Amino acid sequence: MKLKHYIIAVNAAVMLVGTGLTVAQTPQEAAVKKLVEPRLADGIKVDSVTKTPYAGLYEVRVGSEVLYTDEKAQYLFIGNVIDAKNGVNYTKARTDDLSRVKFSDLPLESALKMVKGDGKRVIAVFEDPNCGYCKRLRKTLAGMDNITVYTFMYNILSEDSAVKSKNIWCSADRNKAWEDWMLNGKAAAPAQSNCVTPNDKILALGQKLRVNGTPAIFFADGSRVPGALDAKGLEEKFASLHNVKAN
């Protein structure tokens, strides 16, 4: 029987006995990987299996997703492992680390660019032109200063998302066309048929980075936040990045 039939959700706190994860794959880890992979849903490939220092669990990594199993791969645990003493969510910390990107590797030439004030605070955002939460985020960004925003038009919500993105990309002033649409609902003029867009490139990039929804915000340190942060949330995030850099 497939292991997926034995899924146990564990969102309760778990006492940890350590915080680090072993890097090199041991024979036991290799054995667990060999056992667990064929028991997952068809087509799912396990990137790595690592023995954790808590509760005898093995971390099973699939891309940037983390789940856990036992040494015999009899059970699959889905949920958060939390230190009961200090409340630290180690699963979240691990998935945050796995979902980081190298910001300098992003194809920023294929993004819209908005600079306000000194532009020192930099983010990249994946947005769909039909995304209501993206429009909410855009209003928040319009009220902020000293920020540079790279916008990747990521067309995943509707068949006409790619059409709207093409019309915007092919406009004489792309940034204005984007702002007109996202803030005021003013559609861009139809693009010339021979205008080339980065739509397919950005779609492939988002899929590679496992961007499953919009908006998705990437910060200069490579960390990401899914969803539309409000101004307070953005300011707190920028402040935390500044404090880390200062230390």
Side-chain angles (χ1 to χ4, degrees), residues 2-243:
K2 295 288 186 180
L3 184 60
K4 59 185 178 181
H5 295 302
Y6 292 96
I7 291 176
I8 301 176
V10 286
N11 288 309
V14 178
M15 179 71 74
L16 302 184
V17 296
T19 60
L21 292 178
T22 304
V23 176
Q25 188 175 52
T26 67
Q28 180 61 42
E29 290 166 345
V32 173
K33 180 179 179 181
K34 186 176 181 180
L35 286 171
V36 74
E37 190 168 63
R39 297 178 182 179
L40 298 175
D42 294 341
I44 293 181
K45 296 296 181 181
V46 173
D47 292 303
S48 67
V49 170
T50 308
K51 190 177 190 304
T52 74
Y54 39 81
L57 295 175
Y58 286 78
E59 174 197 285
V60 179
R61 181 174 70 83
V62 179
S64 59
E65 301 298 319
V66 170
L67 40 151
Y68 305 95
T69 190
D70 60 285
E71 65 178 2
K72 295 182 179 180
Q74 291 181 307
Y75 301 97
L76 185 66
F77 300 85
I78 300 176
N80 294 305
V81 176
I82 301 171
D83 190 322
K85 285 186 176 180
N86 57 32
V88 174
N89 187 328
Y90 284 95
T91 302
K92 183 179 184 303
R94 178 69 169 139
T95 55
D96 285 350
D97 184 60
L98 290 171
S99 66
R100 287 180 182 274
V101 302
K102 188 175 181 181
F103 198 90
S104 60
D105 285 347
L106 294 174
L108 301 180
E109 71 281 357
S110 297
L112 307 177
K113 182 180 180 180
M114 178 186 76
V115 180
K116 300 185 68 178
D118 60 28
K120 289 183 178 180
R121 305 184 298 179
V122 182
I123 61 173
V125 188
F126 282 73
E127 298 182 72
D128 185 294
N130 287 312
C131 167
Y133 287 104
C134 299
K135 294 176 181 179
R136 179 187 300 180
L137 174 63
R138 188 56 44 173
K139 290 180 180 179
T140 297
L141 295 173
M144 299 185 70
D145 202 4
N146 299 329
I147 189 171
T148 296
V149 181
Y150 291 97
T151 302
F152 292 103
M153 293 184 286
Y154 187 49
N155 309 303
I156 59 173
L157 295 182
S158 176
E159 290 185 5
D160 76 333
S161 292
V163 176
K164 289 175 179 174
S165 290
K166 179 175 181 177
N167 293 342
I168 291 168
W169 183 263
C170 298
S171 297
D173 188 335
R174 295 168 180 167
N175 287 312
K176 184 177 185 303
W178 180 253
E179 296 287 317
D180 282 346
W181 169 248
M182 297 299 280
L183 295 178
N184 304 313
K186 181 182 177 181
Q192 296 292 324
S193 59
N194 62 350
C195 179
V196 179
T197 75
N199 283 359
D200 291 341
K201 177 180 179 180
I202 299 310
L203 183 62
L205 174 66
Q207 292 171 342
K208 178 182 178 181
L209 297 178
R210 297 179 182 267
V211 177
N212 299 317
T214 55
I217 309 171
F218 290 83
F219 292 84
D221 69 336
S223 62
R224 75 171 79 186
V225 174
L229 284 178
D230 58 16
K232 180 181 178 182
L234 282 166
E235 292 291 354
E236 289 177 348
K237 177 65 175 179
F238 283 131
S240 69
L241 294 179
H242 177 76
N243 291 336

